[in-house]
Amino acid sequence: MLQDIENLSWQYLRMYPLKDICWKNVELLLVTKANSDSLNIQRDILRQTVHHSLALKFPPTESYTRLFLKSLISKIEECNREVLEDMYTAYTDLLSQPPVDAGGFCYRTYKMTEGCVVSLKETCNLICNGTTGMCTWKASHVLGPWCFRESQRFHKKNILELGAGLGLTGITVVRTCHPASYTLTDLHDTVLKTLRENVVLNLGNENHDRIHDVSTPSSVSEYEGKGVAVQIQYQDTDVQVMKLNWEEGICSMEPDVILGADVVYDNEVTLPLVKLLKVITTKRPKVDIFLACTLRNPSTYAYFKELLASHALHISSEVLHHYQESPSQPQNRITIVHIVSPYSDQCTRGLWGRRPFCPGRTSTWKATHSSMKIHVYAN
């Protein structure tokens, strides 16, 4: 029973599609209990969803909450159980409130790993202020947990994330892998402003005295020349948000690791991306690059691999994952590709002893046997 209510709680907090919620589990909880016990179960459900402390602080949209409560009340009535008065009150209060203009934004809370919960300010629209970077992309849901499972690669390392978006991957890695430093970068001012808010929201609450805010809350453009939006000390990790334009081909940082989720999506930005990777690996030959790529258009990914080869960057491994947000949503094929320079340790002596890699030749190890199917609703 507790697990069913907990699952419903996480689904509500991330605004899981209502049609994909397993309402049968809720119905079973209600019909197998006496009416008095049913009221207690409803009380627990309400406390762990609409009245959850995270929901009160980082609420889903009002429209979603209304529909959630309406569906829940309907299921209770179908089970011939008395509806908890507080349940009706929560629903009618929402109906009586005037619509709130949140500027197209909402909050979603994700349980990334056991003990790592991330709340993000996101847009409810695919495109916002001329950019698609205001919603969390699928590859982030794969890359973040993968980094946690491979945390030894990132512990005490200096990490640079390209195209950090709203910060899901970066916040997860900082909180679970404990790197020495982590720099989240993006280009669009609106994305950077929201990224900054999300980083402070998730990593700054316990360290208010150690936050160095370079920009004003109302404008990201003021730090355009300075480059840094915010700097935070989270436990032993130095965290900063920065603006980075791939087309300029300039990067002053010399990281140990580069991460990126859904940065290979358009041929127009792929060449600047690869050129930037080349610039960094030239200065830092032993850097490890891990990119989570959603395989939408085969030609786009093929072009990316051709550019890597032409710039003497080598694919040491590809691991295929399958991600499906919910049963009604399409399944996504996401590969985590490990890229190294011809002068890295992996390229000169082979990756974990599996086979050697020779400079000037691109080699690919497809670890399809390690692929896994990830269902968010299983969390």
Side-chain angles (χ1 to χ4, degrees):
M1 180 183 76
L2 294 176
Q3 187 61 54
D4 290 331
I5 296 178
E6 183 180 355
N7 288 341
L8 184 63
S9 174
W10 291 120
Q11 289 173 344
Y12 168 77
L13 290 170
R14 64 173 290 137
M15 292 175 58
Y16 195 79
L18 292 176
K19 62 182 178 182
D20 291 329
I21 290 178
C22 190
W23 293 107
K24 287 185 178 180
N25 291 343
V26 178
E27 293 172 352
L28 285 173
L29 288 176
L30 296 171
V31 299
T32 56
K33 302 292 182 180
N35 194 62
S36 59
D37 292 331
S38 169
L39 292 175
N40 288 330
I41 291 173
Q42 294 177 49
R43 192 172 288 108
D44 286 341
I45 291 175
L46 191 62
R47 183 171 59 247
Q48 295 197 48
T49 55
V50 179
H51 290 168
H52 195 290
S53 58
L54 285 172
L56 297 176
K57 191 174 183 181
F58 312 118
T61 63
E62 287 188 2
S63 59
Y64 181 84
T65 301
R66 283 196 300 270
L67 290 173
F68 175 84
L69 286 172
K70 182 179 179 180
S71 299
L72 181 57
I73 291 171
S74 176
K75 297 301 178 184
I76 296 170
E77 292 174 339
E78 289 174 7
C79 294
N80 295 317
R81 290 292 183 266
E82 178 185 352
V83 178
L84 183 72
E85 184 177 350
D86 288 347
M87 192 83 68
Y88 275 132
T89 300
Y91 180 58
T92 55
D93 283 350
L94 282 172
L95 291 177
S96 62
Q97 292 176 2
V100 176
D101 182 12
F105 287 94
C106 64
Y107 288 98
R108 296 177 191 263
T109 296
Y110 303 99
K111 184 181 180 182
M112 298 303 291
T113 66
E114 198 64 41
C116 180
V117 176
V118 179
S119 297
L120 296 181
K121 180 181 179 181
E122 301 185 9
T123 181
C124 305
N125 307 312
L126 179 61
I127 299 177
C128 178
N129 293 332
T131 178
T132 58
M134 296 298 292
C135 57
T136 299
W137 290 97
K138 306 297 187 293
S140 296
H141 291 284
V142 172
L143 185 58
W146 180 86
C147 289
F148 166 70
R149 293 190 297 272
E150 300 285 335
S151 59
Q152 74 282 357
R153 296 178 182 269
F154 311 107
H155 185 67
K156 298 299 182 183
K157 297 296 180 67
N158 298 304
I159 302 176
L160 167 65
E161 184 180 355
L162 303 177
L166 299 182
L168 184 62
T169 296
I171 293 167
T172 302
V173 173
V174 168
R175 293 183 60 182
T176 62
C177 301
H178 310 291
S181 69
Y182 199 103
T183 302
L184 303 94
T185 67
D186 215 295
L187 176 63
H188 199 284
D189 285 351
T190 304
V191 176
L192 284 165
K193 181 177 183 296
T194 309
L195 173 59
R196 167 197 169 279
E197 293 177 15
N198 285 333
V199 167
V200 172
L201 181 74
N202 288 274
L203 303 179
N205 292 338
E206 298 177 0
N207 303 276
H208 286 299
D209 58 331
R210 307 182 74 180
I211 300 174
H212 178 49
D213 189 359
V214 180
S215 68
T216 63
S218 61
S219 175
V220 170
S221 61
E222 292 188 17
Y223 71 77
E224 188 168 355
K226 304 173 185 178
V228 181
V230 68
Q231 294 175 325
I232 292 177
Q233 181 74 27
Y234 179 80
Q235 297 181 357
D236 294 327
T237 303
D238 294 320
V239 182
Q240 63 179 355
V241 176
M242 294 185 65
K243 188 168 189 173
L244 182 61
N245 188 342
W246 301 350
E247 293 187 351
E248 292 178 355
I250 300 173
C251 182
S252 60
M253 290 165 283
E254 297 185 10
D256 303 309
V257 178
I258 296 174
L259 295 177
D262 261 329
V263 293
V264 180
Y265 59 92
D266 189 321
N267 287 347
E268 290 186 5
V269 299
T270 302
L271 180 56
L273 169 64
V274 173
K275 285 184 175 180
L276 181 63
L277 294 178
K278 183 63 177 178
V279 167
I280 298 173
T281 55
T282 299
K283 294 190 298 181
R284 187 78 169 173
K286 294 184 179 181
V287 65
D288 285 302
I289 304 167
F290 298 96
L291 304 182
C293 305
T294 303
L295 304 179
R296 301 181 182 89
N297 188 336
S299 63
T300 300
Y301 189 61
Y303 177 60
F304 169 62
K305 294 169 75 171
E306 290 173 5
L307 288 176
L308 291 176
S310 66
H311 287 77
L313 295 172
H314 304 278
I315 296 178
S316 65
S317 70
E318 293 178 270
V319 182
L320 182 64
H321 301 252
H322 292 87
Y323 174 85
Q324 188 175 20
E325 185 171 4
S326 68
S328 69
Q329 303 298 309
Q331 187 178 97
N332 299 102
R333 297 170 63 245
I334 298 171
T335 183
I336 296 181
V337 55
H338 181 193
I339 303 166
V340 296
S341 79
Y343 307 106
S344 68
D345 291 341
Q346 289 92 337
C347 224
T348 55
R349 71 168 182 262
L351 177 66
W352 304 308
R354 283 191 173 91
R355 71 185 194 187
F357 291 87
C358 303
R361 177 172 64 86
T362 300
S363 300
T364 302
W365 170 55
K366 291 187 177 181
T368 53
H369 60 279
S370 299
S371 66
M372 60 183 177
K373 190 172 184 178
I374 304 173
H375 290 285
V376 173
Y377 50 85
N379 287 341

